[in-house]
Amino acid sequence: QQQVKQSPQSLIVQKGGISIINCAYENTAFDYFPWYQQFPGKGPALLIAIRPDVSEKKEGRFTISFNKSAKQFSLHIMDSQPGDSATYFCAANSGNQFYFGTGTSLTVIP
Amino acid sequence: DVKVTQSSRYLVKRTGEKVFLECVQDMDHENMFWYRQDPGLGLRLIYFSYDVKMKEKGDIPEGYSVSREKKERFSLILESASTNQTSMYLCASSSSGPKLGGGYTFGSGTRLTVV
């Protein structure tokens, strides 16, 4: 059973547009929600993360929006650039483990 | 910079072979993990370890074993490789104890093909 559900599976955005990736979870014990960015041939790298005591976290063009009551969180990439083209994974942490979404392949068209 | 190094980027092995995937981290992290990554399935946890000589099964341990003889090294072993184990294998490490305060650091992955 997928602990974290991620959508869409793939996303194509024009340069300068906003990319939005959504994740949902059921386990209320999750207390840390990171996003990872993976370029081809590389391992995933931590991009941005949020704890459930805040509703939003922004780092540069990347923002996590967190809705605790709905058990949903999303990644927004503002002013998307071709260099943002990558696979993005959301994740949730409980205890010693992270549970990952299935990934979103983002393509930003110049 | 924290580094997680996986010994091979690409491997091709024959069905039935015993395969060793090595992972070394240089930041004295307690926790180490092995995942496999398949299209449409995301990252699935195979095994993890919170200490030397300690191991725990993840979600898909069948056909795999692990070894952690030293804190910095975590090996994944395919006892008898099969074609359905063709995948990208990712090693990760993290610090802290039972409550993870930060994220994982991943290696670059080993793409294993079993023929």
Side-chain angles (χ1 to χ4, degrees):
Chain A
Q1 184 183 358
Q2 195 72 30
Q3 296 263 6
V4 179
K5 295 182 180 178
Q6 182 172 348
S7 63
Q9 188 171 0
S10 63
L11 182 61
I12 300 173
V13 174
Q14 292 278 356
K15 178 182 176 181
I18 302 173
S19 303
I20 302 174
I21 304 170
N22 300 299
C23 286
Y25 65 95
E26 287 297 326
N27 188 345
T28 55
F30 290 151
D31 59 3
Y32 182 73
F33 301 87
W35 285 88
Y36 287 83
Q37 180 187 53
Q38 184 181 28
F39 293 107
K42 301 286 188 182
L46 180 64
L47 180 64
I48 187 173
I50 196 168
R51 294 196 183 276
D53 52 348
V54 297
S55 60
E56 185 175 283
K57 183 172 182 180
K58 185 175 182 179
E59 291 184 1
R61 296 185 294 108
F62 299 90
T63 299
I64 300 178
S65 296
F66 188 83
N67 186 329
K68 189 173 182 179
S69 61
K71 291 185 277 189
Q72 295 175 348
F73 58 110
S74 59
L75 176 69
H76 296 236
I77 306 174
M78 310 301 286
D79 187 27
S80 298
Q81 299 296 312
D84 297 331
S85 297
T87 299
Y88 292 82
F89 292 95
C90 61
N93 163 231
S94 174
N96 290 311
Q97 284 190 44
F98 283 96
Y99 299 89
F100 289 88
T102 50
T104 296
S105 177
L106 171 65
T107 302
V108 180
I109 299 171
Chain B
D1 266 4
V2 176
K3 280 196 176 168
V4 177
T5 303
Q6 294 183 230
S7 55
S8 304
R9 291 297 303 273
Y10 300 94
L11 276 178
V12 180
K13 296 292 182 181
R14 294 193 180 278
T15 300
E17 276 193 78
K18 191 169 186 176
V19 181
F20 293 85
L21 302 183
E22 305 288 343
C23 176
V24 177
Q25 51 94 2
D26 65 0
M27 281 300 291
D28 202 35
H29 282 173
E30 296 86 359
N31 311 317
M32 297 189 74
F33 306 82
W34 275 106
Y35 287 85
R36 63 178 282 176
Q37 181 177 12
D38 300 288
L41 298 177
L43 299 166
R44 293 182 293 166
L45 181 63
I46 305 171
Y47 267 96
F48 57 100
S49 169
Y50 300 143
D51 201 354
V52 175
K53 297 195 185 292
M54 175 272 176
K55 59 186 178 184
E56 292 278 354
K57 292 180 179 179
D59 299 320
I60 52 164
E62 296 79 18
Y64 304 94
S65 63
V66 290
S67 171
R68 194 166 181 199
E69 296 295 320
K70 294 184 178 181
K71 190 175 185 179
E72 67 271 18
R73 186 179 298 269
F74 192 35
S75 302
L76 179 69
I77 303 157
L78 285 66
E79 297 292 343
S80 176
S82 64
T83 54
N84 63 12
Q85 292 178 310
T86 291
S87 186
M88 169 70 88
Y89 289 88
L90 289 163
C91 176
S93 73
S94 68
S95 63
S96 82
K99 228 27 179 172
L100 290 178
Y104 289 167
T105 299
F106 282 92
S108 293
T110 296
R111 184 163 293 283
L112 172 68
T113 302
V114 182
V115 298

